[in-house]
DNA sequence: ATGGCTGAGCTACTCAGA
């Protein structure tokens, strides 16, 4: 089974890119972030023709997350945490794998910059609420796959110039600590587990020639609970979509399980 | 290098992204 996560930076501006991509990579489930559309503006019919059911948590202009899926997703939930600003940043649901329910959690973590503003406080509170909620979920179900745009650079090797990002909300130590706290609950960063030393990125800015210079960062992740780890087969950052016409600034990360 | 570029909403320009 192929599960893929991609911050598309507008589902409507990226429609052709997404359609081409799913035709070539054929994900069973695609986690989308930053769809930047309300539910009624989501191109559900187009994806239906391509063979996918849409599960959408939209918002006007900003944020928004969704699943596209070939298989049924049960118990879809739009209020995973109490988001004080009511931003559409998490959609979760359950799939059946060999008679077990596996919880899928698709997240778009707040950016948090600049760090001397309320935005940084919001990111910290958001991550605290998220981590607490994971504790609750773990009591009921220990089969969990969390993926999406974490807006967190886990370690120095995950960014082209770590010094430059020391005081950035994506790399600041207190944020990375919250990521580690989450992992310490019993999760594995699958990319880093499989690729111990590899330096690959999932995001490159649109400006300053970041893409051709490979000035990127690894901020999109798959975390699987340790119950799920034995069924993980492979993970791949697919850089091809980032090099195409009118690309998103993020590129997809592809997980193979079972 | 707090600029650079891109998208939404709207129709001039701001806000947000990372």
């Amino acid at each position: 089974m192929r599960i893929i996560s991609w911050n598309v930076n507008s589902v409507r501006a990226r429609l052709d890119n997404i359609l081409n991509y799913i035709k070539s990579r054929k994900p069973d489930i695609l986690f989308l972030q930053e769809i930047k559309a309300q539910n009624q503006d989501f191109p559900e019919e187009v994806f239906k023709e391509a063979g996918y059911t849409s599960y959408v948590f939209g918002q006007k202009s900003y944020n928004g997350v969704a699943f596209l899926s070939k298989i049924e997703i049960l118990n879809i939930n739009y209020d995973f945490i109490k988001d004080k600003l009511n931003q559409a940043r998490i959609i979760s649901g359950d799939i059946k794998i060999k008679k077990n329910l596996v919880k899928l959690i698709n997240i778009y973590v707040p950016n948090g910059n600049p760090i001397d503003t309320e935005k940084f406080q919001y990111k910290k509170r958001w991550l605290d609420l998220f981590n607490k909620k994971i504790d609750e979920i773990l009591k009921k179900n220990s089969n969990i796959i969390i993926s999406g745009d974490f807006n967190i650079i886990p370690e120095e090797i995950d960014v082209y110039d770590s010094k430059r990002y020391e005081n950035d909300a994506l790399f600041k130590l207190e944020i990375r600590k919250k990521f580690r706290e989450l992992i310490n609950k019993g999760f594995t960063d699958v990319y880093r587990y499989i690729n111990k030393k590899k330096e690959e990125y999932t995001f490159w800015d649109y400006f300053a020639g970041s893409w051709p210079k490979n000035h990127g960062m690894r901020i999109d992740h798959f975390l699987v609970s340790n119950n799920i780890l034995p069924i993980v087969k492979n993970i791949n950052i697919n850089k091809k979509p980032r090099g195409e016409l009118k690309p998103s600034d993020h590129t997809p990360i592809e997980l193979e399980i079972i």
Side-chain angles (χ1 to χ4, degrees), chain A residues 3-7 31 33 105-109 127 145-155 157-159 170 175-176 179 182-183 188-193 200-203 217-224 235-237 250-255:
Chain A
I3 305 178
I4 297 178
S5 174
W6 191 9
N7 178 324
F31 292 30
Q33 301 90 35
I105 307 172
N106 176 5
I107 64 173
Y108 175 46
V109 177
L127 288 168
I145 297 174
I146 307 170
S147 187
D149 177 359
F150 282 68
N151 273 320
I152 298 174
I153 301 162
E155 302 295 340
I157 68 164
D158 296 312
V159 59
L170 279 70
I175 297 295
R176 292 160 59 201
F179 184 73
L182 174 58
I183 284 181
T188 297
D189 173 352
V190 179
Y191 179 85
R192 190 48 75 212
Y193 178 76
E200 278 189 306
Y201 309 131
T202 63
F203 167 89
M217 52 187 78
R218 190 174 72 92
I219 54 176
D220 301 84
H221 309 297
F222 267 99
L223 301 190
V224 303
I235 195 159
N236 175 50
I237 294 171
H250 293 251
T251 214
I253 176 165
E254 308 172 337
L255 177 75

Side-chain angles (χ1 to χ4, degrees), chain A residues 15 48 114 139 156 189 219:
Chain A
L15 194 52
K48 195 168 200 170
K139 287 177 193 162
E156 284 82 357
D189 173 352
I219 54 176

Side-chain angles (χ1 to χ4, degrees), chain A residues 89 108-124 150-151 167-170 172 175:
Chain A
R89 294 182 175 276
Y108 175 46
V109 177
N111 176 297
N113 276 314
I115 57 169
D116 57 349
T117 66
E118 194 54 40
K119 292 182 180 187
F120 189 60
Q121 304 305 317
Y122 173 58
K123 181 178 195 173
K124 287 196 287 183
F150 282 68
N151 273 320
N167 287 311
D168 189 283
L170 279 70
K172 210 152 168 50
I175 297 295

Side-chain angles (χ1 to χ4, degrees), chain A residues 72-106:
Chain A
E72 191 182 10
I73 304 181
L74 310 157
N75 309 319
I76 288 286
N77 180 19
Y78 306 103
D79 53 5
F80 192 84
I81 62 169
K82 198 77 209 146
D83 187 317
K84 276 190 179 161
L85 300 182
N86 287 320
Q87 298 187 349
R89 294 182 175 276
I90 308 184
I91 186 169
S92 71
D94 300 320
I95 54 168
K96 265 190 193 152
I97 297 181
K98 291 181 178 172
K99 293 181 182 173
N100 291 307
L101 280 186
V102 175
K103 186 160 290 293
L104 305 180
I105 307 172
N106 176 5

Side-chain angles (χ1 to χ4, degrees), chain A residues 107-251:
Chain A
I107 64 173
Y108 175 46
V109 177
N111 176 297
N113 276 314
I115 57 169
D116 57 349
T117 66
E118 194 54 40
K119 292 182 180 187
F120 189 60
Q121 304 305 317
Y122 173 58
K123 181 178 195 173
K124 287 196 287 183
R125 281 199 296 268
W126 196 98
L127 288 168
D128 286 339
L129 286 172
F130 183 78
N131 285 355
K132 264 186 206 146
K133 182 69 180 187
I134 293 297
D135 286 334
E136 268 178 53
I137 300 286
L138 277 169
K139 287 177 193 162
K140 289 176 269 180
N141 185 350
S142 46
N143 303 311
I144 305 176
I145 297 174
I146 307 170
S147 187
D149 177 359
F150 282 68
N151 273 320
I152 298 174
I153 301 162
E155 302 295 340
E156 284 82 357
I157 68 164
D158 296 312
V159 59
Y160 74 98
D161 182 356
S162 59
K163 265 268 171 282
R164 193 170 156 177
Y165 282 86
E166 269 171 2
N167 287 311
D168 189 283
L170 279 70
F171 191 57
K172 210 152 168 50
L173 200 54
E174 56 189 313
I175 297 295
R176 292 160 59 201
K177 279 183 178 167
K178 294 186 193 301
F179 184 73
R180 286 180 209 163
E181 271 171 35
L182 174 58
I183 284 181
N184 289 339
K185 296 178 190 301
F187 291 87
T188 297
D189 173 352
V190 179
Y191 179 85
R192 190 48 75 212
Y193 178 76
I194 290 181
N195 305 286
K196 302 288 185 212
K197 302 269 180 193
K198 212 167 172 183
E199 295 193 28
E200 278 189 306
Y201 309 131
T202 63
F203 167 89
W204 299 259
D205 263 316
Y206 285 123
F207 41 80
S210 298
W211 168 245
K213 286 190 269 190
N214 196 29
H215 285 181
M217 52 187 78
R218 190 174 72 92
I219 54 176
D220 301 84
H221 309 297
F222 267 99
L223 301 190
V224 303
S225 60
N226 295 337
N227 265 13
I228 297 290
L229 197 56
I231 63 166
V232 167
K233 280 165 62 180
N234 202 7
I235 195 159
N236 175 50
I237 294 171
N238 187 341
K239 287 189 274 292
K240 193 164 172 277
R242 184 61 181 84
E244 278 166 9
L245 203 64
K246 243 171 86 76
S248 168
D249 40 8
H250 293 251
T251 214

